[in-house]
Amino acid sequence: MQIAVHSGDLTKAKVDLIVLGVFSGKATRGAEFKALDKALKGALSAAVKDEDFKGGKGQKLTVTTLGAIPAKRVSLAGIGSESEISRTVFELAGRAVRMGNAVAAKQVLAVLPKTIAELTSVMELVGRGGSLGQYRFDQFLSEKGRKPSVNKLHVDLGENGNASAAMKNAVKKGETVAAGV
């Protein structure tokens, strides 16, 4: 699986699934949520209300876009408290890949929380989390199910621009660590 950096308008991203990480109690507050909700004509906020989605750790919500934007689906992934940002990034990358595999997505865009100050340090966690999210131990399962479908994980950096060489090296280091697990 390849890990790449995305910057730009989320509503124009040509991926199969957008996974937006949201903190507890702040599911509908971010600019990214508002942009996606506007493009989906309020469907995202309606689903949040209908399903009582709060952004708690492990909580998820998926909406089909029905062609309103290039992405086929938008998912909200509850990532819990803002105080555990490094663990949050690691888990979000892994969850985004697993959520993509669950819906046979080939390309997934994970949108990191915008409160991260030092992106280079967390990109290693993205590499590690994304790689481990793709792993499945199915050696002893009688029915192995669908093979992992995600071949590219895009990570949105928002207004922070393009990936530096240091960020790319950090992702590679994370992937290497995950391969050794």
Side-chain angles (χ1 to χ4, degrees):
M1 179 184 68
Q2 184 182 6
I3 298 175
V5 172
H6 172 272
S7 61
D9 189 350
L10 294 177
T11 64
K12 292 182 171 59
K14 294 180 180 171
V15 296
D16 299 306
L17 173 66
I18 297 174
V19 179
L20 180 62
V22 294
F23 291 115
S24 293
K26 298 183 179 183
T28 60
R29 291 193 188 160
E32 298 84 4
F33 177 90
K34 291 175 182 172
L36 288 167
D37 191 44
K38 182 179 179 184
L40 297 174
K41 298 177 175 82
L44 200 52
S45 57
V48 165
K49 184 178 178 186
D50 289 347
E51 300 208 16
D52 196 29
F53 182 86
K54 301 288 186 209
K57 191 171 187 164
Q59 198 176 16
K60 66 181 178 178
L61 174 99
T62 302
V63 175
T64 303
T65 66
L66 300 174
I69 61 174
K72 294 177 186 174
R73 293 177 180 86
V74 173
S75 290
L76 301 180
I79 52 179
S81 169
E82 289 183 65
S83 63
E84 300 175 343
I85 194 71
S86 60
R87 183 162 186 80
T88 295
V89 169
F90 174 74
E91 290 175 356
L92 178 60
R95 285 181 63 200
V97 171
R98 286 191 304 279
M99 290 166 80
N101 284 330
V103 296
K106 292 188 183 336
Q107 295 194 48
V108 175
L109 172 58
V111 184
L112 301 178
K114 299 305 175 238
T115 57
I116 299 171
E118 179 52 48
L119 286 171
T120 303
S121 63
V122 299
M123 291 306 284
E124 180 183 342
L125 296 170
V126 169
R128 196 177 337 156
S131 296
L132 290 173
Q134 187 78 308
Y135 176 77
R136 281 179 23 169
F137 183 77
D138 58 7
Q139 180 179 353
F140 299 110
L141 294 178
S142 57
E143 192 172 309
K144 302 212 188 282
R146 178 181 11 207
K147 290 186 179 200
S149 60
V150 176
N151 57 33
K152 192 167 192 178
L153 172 63
H154 301 266
V155 181
D156 182 69
L157 297 181
E159 297 145 12
N160 295 313
N162 296 321
S164 66
M167 286 184 195
K168 291 177 183 176
N169 288 337
V171 169
K172 291 287 181 211
K173 182 178 178 185
E175 290 173 317
T176 302
V177 170
V181 171

